[in-house]
Amino acid sequence: MTASYWDPGSTTAKEIDGCIEVSSATTLMTNGWYVVRGEVTTSNLKVSGTANLILADGATLTANGTSNHAGVDVAPGNSLTIYGQKAGTGKLTAKGGTDAAGIGGNNGSNCGDITIVGGTVTATGGQRAAGIGGGAQSKGTRGTIRIAGGYVVAKSASMGGSGIGSGRRFSSVGDNSPPVIISGGTVRASGSKYESTGEWGADLGMGLNNKYGSIGSVTIIGGSVLATRGYINPAPVGNGQNVYCVTVEGLEGLVSLGGLDGYGTNDIVADE
């Protein structure tokens, strides 16, 4: 099957031959190209190798994880790249089971390489797990999470996981948050609260109690990023600029926004 996809900044679509169409019976994606057309629901979808997934315009893929399983399992040593088409209306909705990421690691596992280039991606981690990234008590080698385009919403359901990064830890076993690099797209990330202590996992970066092993990093060099609590840990590096809501009374007529040349004002958001 032939399918097309768009890279950020591209003026023409790229076509790929030999794509495999994802169906409700699909539970494994190996090396190669896959495409979603229409509405598809599956569970415990696993990546083994280097998989490329195209979300066709108007298509919806829903991937649900059972207990301890990610909605889309991308374990260390494996890679998933998600592409959209021209309109960017193809959707992936991934929900992790208890202690597992929406996209990334199962319970006890870190994530492999996850790259989002296009489409609309919504990922919700189970309790203690990241929306995109590691499961609870993440350990093992870490991949890198990259977002270069598309519209991404990632959140942890409860108990101290990060929105994008790592799950909550409750011992000194294992490594910490995978590196997160955002260079484009629109990103909304929300960590979750551990009710027993009132502490939160980071919106971007580390889940609660990730004080052991190697600390990851958060790099923002483009795109529009909303950390819902403004909590990014470790602090981000890059050329991002904070944007704030300001109410100015008494203005009449046309108002021009200036001072953001070179950064871009497309889809800028601010906390309210």
Side-chain angles (χ1 to χ4, degrees):
M1 175 179 292
T2 300
S4 63
Y5 71 92
W6 285 70
D7 272 331
S10 176
T11 57
T12 59
K14 298 180 180 180
E15 289 195 347
I16 297 293
D17 292 325
C19 289
I20 300 171
E21 186 168 358
V22 176
S23 72
S24 58
T26 302
T27 58
L28 179 65
M29 295 191 297
T30 57
N31 295 326
W33 287 82
Y34 295 79
V35 61
V36 182
R37 302 182 190 276
E39 294 190 6
V40 178
T41 299
T42 187
S43 61
N44 297 344
L45 183 58
K46 181 177 181 179
V47 171
S48 179
T50 300
N52 301 280
L53 178 65
I54 299 172
L55 304 174
D57 282 339
T60 299
L61 172 61
T62 301
N64 297 314
T66 57
S67 183
N68 298 316
H69 291 275
V72 182
D73 172 10
V74 187
N78 301 291
S79 171
L80 173 65
T81 301
I82 300 171
Y83 296 90
Q85 292 186 330
K86 184 176 182 179
T89 58
K91 298 178 181 179
L92 167 61
T93 300
K95 185 176 181 180
T98 302
D99 291 330
I103 303 173
N106 294 331
N107 184 11
S109 175
N110 229 318
C111 68
D113 291 323
I114 300 168
T115 302
I116 300 173
V117 179
T120 298
V121 177
T122 302
T124 303
Q127 64 180 28
R128 292 184 287 262
I132 299 175
Q137 193 65 5
S138 305
K139 58 181 179 290
T141 57
R142 304 170 296 173
T144 299
I145 301 169
R146 297 178 175 88
I147 301 174
Y151 187 92
V152 180
V153 177
K155 63 181 180 180
S156 173
S158 62
M159 298 185 69
S162 70
I164 301 175
S166 65
R168 175 178 156 232
R169 300 276 299 284
F170 35 94
S171 78
S172 60
V173 177
D175 284 333
N176 272 329
S177 175
V180 178
I181 302 172
I182 300 174
S183 59
T186 299
V187 181
R188 309 288 179 264
S190 307
S192 64
K193 184 178 181 180
Y194 183 45
E195 295 291 346
S196 296
T197 63
E199 297 174 283
W200 289 76
D203 300 323
L204 292 162
M206 296 191 293
L208 192 60
N209 288 344
N210 275 279
K211 56 186 178 181
Y212 306 100
S214 302
I215 296 176
S217 59
V218 178
T219 303
I220 301 174
I221 54 177
S224 172
V225 181
L226 173 61
T228 56
R229 297 189 63 254
Y231 182 23
I232 302 176
N233 184 24
V237 297
N239 59 357
Q241 299 184 29
N242 291 327
V243 180
Y244 303 93
C245 286
V246 177
T247 300
V248 181
E249 297 180 354
L251 293 177
E252 296 181 1
L254 182 65
V255 177
S256 176
L257 174 66
L260 291 173
D261 293 342
Y263 180 70
T265 57
N266 290 332
D267 199 28
I268 281 182
V269 298
D271 298 324
E272 297 185 24

